[in-house]
Amino acid sequence: MTLDPGARRAILDAVTALEGEAVGTLFGLVRHASVLGQEASVLDAMAEHYAALGLEPRRIPTVPERLRDHPGFSPPLISYEGRDNVAAIHAPRERKGRSLVLQGHVDVVPEGALEEWTTPPYEPALRGGRIYGRGAGDMKAGIVSYLMAFKALKLAGLQPAAEVQMQAVIEEECSGNGALATMLAMPKAEAVIIPEPGPGLPAIYAAEVGVIWAWVTVTGRPSHVRDMQAGVNAIEAAMAVAAAFKRYESEANRAEHVHPAYHGVNHPVNVNLGTVEGGEWNSSVASKARIGLRVGIMLGRTAREVKAEIEALVAEAAADERLRGAKVRLEFKGFMADPCRFDLDSDIAVLAQRSFAEVTGGALRHYPATGLTDGRFFTLYQDTPVACFGPDAQEIHGIDESVGVESLHAITRTIALTMAEWCGVERAA
């Protein structure tokens, strides 16, 4: 739907007028330490932001019993009580355009070594044109972009002439179950925008790997170190299992196993040893150790296939002579996610790329991601086109995570113009 030049200019001027508010809103969201299980306060804040836009917030619970048979479901890590997703719907007076979902996750990963941060991770700071803080880039800046884009239309005296959903979800960082529950609870839309950060430069997701979280617990046989040969060290046994996963990783990255969408990407399948727990005493042979692993899945494979390979790998490792006498238990909790490819020739992706070029003079690079997003749910299980692109974020999941202020505003302008043209506009109520 063609956008009137006057309306276009009014929307862009409104985004400019909201730049200070955008930064303040991001500061407010970053102050919520919304790691796994502690998302309640930021979800309340999102409900307030939706209400301030004139929308009625709706709480959407994540209920494993209702999702368990869905192919996109992942085994949960903790209870979902007290941390319901939040959504809202804008309804036009007269529908003229196409419906749209604006979706983002509010959860963040743990901050890591606090002493390594230049400023505390949940005390946002502006330095050198960048906003620092855990979650600033991944992906609270993207959420601010879609909030301000919608508000810019209203400030310009307009509103979308089609249904627009806003979704704030949990557990993008460990299962995606919040996005799955919310998608299934809401009406199917004609397109989705997810303003996830890319690889530290302007990009739109072309594909993403799948991910499995596997947990291996090894129970050995304790003994005093003077007789350590009589014991079985669970930590050493667990490291032998981890080494088997790294050999699997090397094989998965062989050229013949890499999908053409990832040609030219260095090491697209990553296996990460993310957590280690174990041992009881420095002078005792460790009796128990647990390792948590993140296993990437190449496009063209499925989580089901790789799960079977992990089961076989762990069984083979457990039969190793070095693990004789040890008990090995494998669990799957967290991600059980299939990879997917996004249609960058879809109308929404083409429009988003054109809007970005208009407001920045640059282009969104096509990005085959070695991580994953909630976009897979809409693509794989709803056949809804997704445009996944977001502000310039750096050091996500690392120390001194940050997002570029100008990039934040550029993505807001891009979403505002894309939404206005996709949905059409009418006079604001």
Side-chain angles (χ1 to χ4, degrees), residues 245-261:
F245 273 92
K246 297 307 285 186
R247 291 192 293 272
Y248 174 89
E249 177 188 52
S250 295
E251 182 66 21
N253 282 291
R254 289 172 61 93
E256 62 268 28
H257 297 150
V258 174
H259 190 279

Side-chain angles (χ1 to χ4, degrees), residues 102 233 385:
L102 302 171
N233 191 306

Side-chain angles (χ1 to χ4, degrees), residues 16-33:
T16 300
L18 291 169
E19 287 182 354
E21 182 175 342
V23 171
T25 301
L26 180 54
F27 269 51
L29 291 180
V30 171
R31 290 190 179 102
H32 296 273

Side-chain angles (χ1 to χ4, degrees), residues 105-374:
H105 68 88
V106 297
D107 55 309
V108 302
V109 300
E111 57 276 4
L114 285 171
E115 69 275 11
E116 296 298 316
W117 285 75
T118 304
T119 49
Y122 302 112
E123 295 178 16
L126 178 60
R127 301 193 300 272
R130 304 191 67 81
I131 296 171
Y132 289 81
R134 173 59 85 229
D138 187 15
M139 64 164 290
K140 291 175 178 177
I143 290 174
V144 170
S145 284
Y146 81 59
L147 289 172
M148 293 299 116
F150 189 89
K151 187 165 187 174
L153 265 66
K154 299 195 74 172
L155 188 60
L158 303 168
Q159 64 182 22
E163 183 181 89
V164 174
Q165 298 179 30
M166 297 187 190
Q167 302 179 5
V169 302
I170 62 170
E171 290 202 3
E172 188 270 354
E173 299 288 7
C174 63
S175 73
N177 289 338
L180 177 61
T182 305
M183 181 189 77
L184 295 176
M186 300 292 280
K188 184 179 185 298
E190 291 166 275
V192 178
I193 292 176
I194 300 180
E196 274 275 12
L201 50 83
I204 185 169
Y205 284 67
E208 61 184 40
V209 300
V211 168
I212 288 178
W213 274 15
W215 306 81
V216 180
T217 302
V218 179
T219 304
R221 186 167 60 249
S223 68
H224 193 286
V225 291
R226 68 187 180 190
D227 299 317
M228 62 184 297
Q229 291 76 16
V232 177
N233 191 306
I235 294 176
E236 293 179 359
M239 292 304 100
V241 175
F245 273 92
K246 297 307 285 186
R247 291 192 293 272
Y248 174 89
E249 177 188 52
S250 295
E251 182 66 21
N253 282 291
R254 289 172 61 93
E256 62 268 28
H257 297 150
V258 174
H259 190 279
Y262 283 85
H263 286 175
V265 177
N266 182 43
H267 209 276
V269 178
N270 295 308
V271 175
N272 183 56
L273 178 57
T275 60
V276 180
E277 310 164 38
E280 300 83 25
W281 193 250
N282 283 8
S283 292
S284 298
V285 172
S287 68
K288 184 164 285 190
R290 185 175 189 246
I291 57 175
L293 299 118
R294 178 269 200 199
V295 182
I297 305 170
M298 176 46 56
L299 192 63
R301 310 291 312 284
T302 67
R304 182 185 295 272
E305 291 170 343
V306 173
K307 177 176 181 286
E309 291 177 351
I310 291 171
E311 290 169 338
L313 179 154
V314 172
E316 182 179 351
D320 188 293
E321 181 65 25
R322 291 170 294 176
L323 274 71
R324 175 179 288 186
K327 299 176 182 177
V328 180
R329 181 165 60 93
L330 172 65
E331 299 174 278
F332 296 98
K333 291 184 178 181
F335 282 124
M336 188 64 65
D338 287 319
C340 80
R341 193 169 191 173
F342 300 109
D343 181 7
L344 297 189
D345 292 323
S346 67
D347 289 349
I348 190 66
V350 169
L351 178 54
Q353 292 174 84
R354 175 159 56 82
S355 297
F356 181 84
E358 178 181 336
V359 300
T360 67
L364 289 171
R365 168 184 166 185
H366 292 186
Y367 173 46
T370 55
L372 79 174
T373 74
D374 284 333

